Amino acid sequence: MKALVYEGVGQRHWKDKSHPGIEKPTDAIVRLTHTTICGTDLHILKGDVPAVEAGRTLGHEGIGIIEEVGDSVSSLKPGDQVLVSCITSCGHCDYCKQGMYAHCRDGGWILGHKIDGTQAEFVRIPHADNSLYRLPPGLDPAAALMLSDILPTGHEIGALNGEVKLGDTVAIIGAGPIGLAALLTSRFYSPARIIMIDPDENRLAVARQLGATDTVSTDPVEAIMKLTDGDGVDVAMEAVGIPESFDTCQRILRPGGKLANIGVHGRSVELRLEDLWIKNVTVRTGLVNTNTIPVLMRFLEAGGIDAQSLITHRFALNEIEQAYDVFSRAAAEKAIKVLLTA
Ligand SMILES: [Zn+2]
Ligand SMILES: [Zn+2]
């Protein structure tokens, strides 16, 4: 079979790799029909995630058809169409029992990281019963693919950690795929305003289509204070992963505000605790658990999330090197999510 293989910093190739097989009775082998590229894959290529060794197949998002299951897989069978969660979870360790699948003692984020991932013709999924979700008939698999990572991340680490509620003013710094997913899923909780901040006017236009009430491209702190009559916002979400955008979040919160950090930070940030404590501000962080996939899938099935709008580019799976070229120039190419289909 073929797979997109990481071969050291800056190097990835679509090449032959041996077909995965069942290694443990809880495994399933999935033939991928849909996959995509995540910003995290670009971080890996830059060498920011040293745990990824040369020879690793990248990718942690996918939809496919089950080809084979191990003897103890009970809820899935060959031929089932399934969504692959970016988080693998056993379902019975102490963390899994608390719903903290991200910290599963025999899983977590391992696909395309510590084991071979989903940018391939076939993938082995450990703990298949808990890590794969059967697709309801009629659900567009391209839209459902957004449930592997970005929609649960935006929902759990953005909307839920930010405790978005009826009437809130929410600011989201970063209108990339994750920021837009946070926008879509925050709308479940009916905030009065969602202000999107990004220097890229094209992404802000997409944000307005998806329900942003206000957009800001420059001087975010001044602009948000002006928009809120000097009060600041109830919820600030960081969806970039750099010190500057975290700093914007901590400067725009009103008393009692919530800061939900979604971005993946490679550098330390300055915490303005001297200003935050007296404002009763809450700061939350996290890695997605994906335990809200089932509820998000019901919304998608009912047409409550416009997930298709996030897909800007389509390629055949064997054109994945070209898709990486496009995605790595996302601003110039006006790319949000690239869809690869087999
Ligand atoms: Zn991802
Ligand atoms: Zn577990």
Side-chain angles (χ1 to χ4, degrees), residues 113-153:
H113 180 204
K114 294 172 181 165
I115 65 170
D116 284 338
T118 56
Q119 290 165 5
E121 291 176 318
F122 296 88
V123 65
R124 179 181 72 90
I125 303 293
H127 300 296
D129 275 322
N130 214 58
S131 309
L132 296 173
Y133 295 81
R134 211 182 354 246
L135 250 58
L139 181 57
D140 174 8
L145 179 62
M146 304 298 118
L147 293 170
S148 282
D149 179 353
I150 65 168
L151 286 172
T153 298

Side-chain angles (χ1 to χ4, degrees), residues 43 65 112 158 177 198 207 270 275 308 321:
H43 278 294
I65 308 290
D198 198 288
E270 188 189 342
D275 298 327
Q308 286 89 338
E321 293 190 0

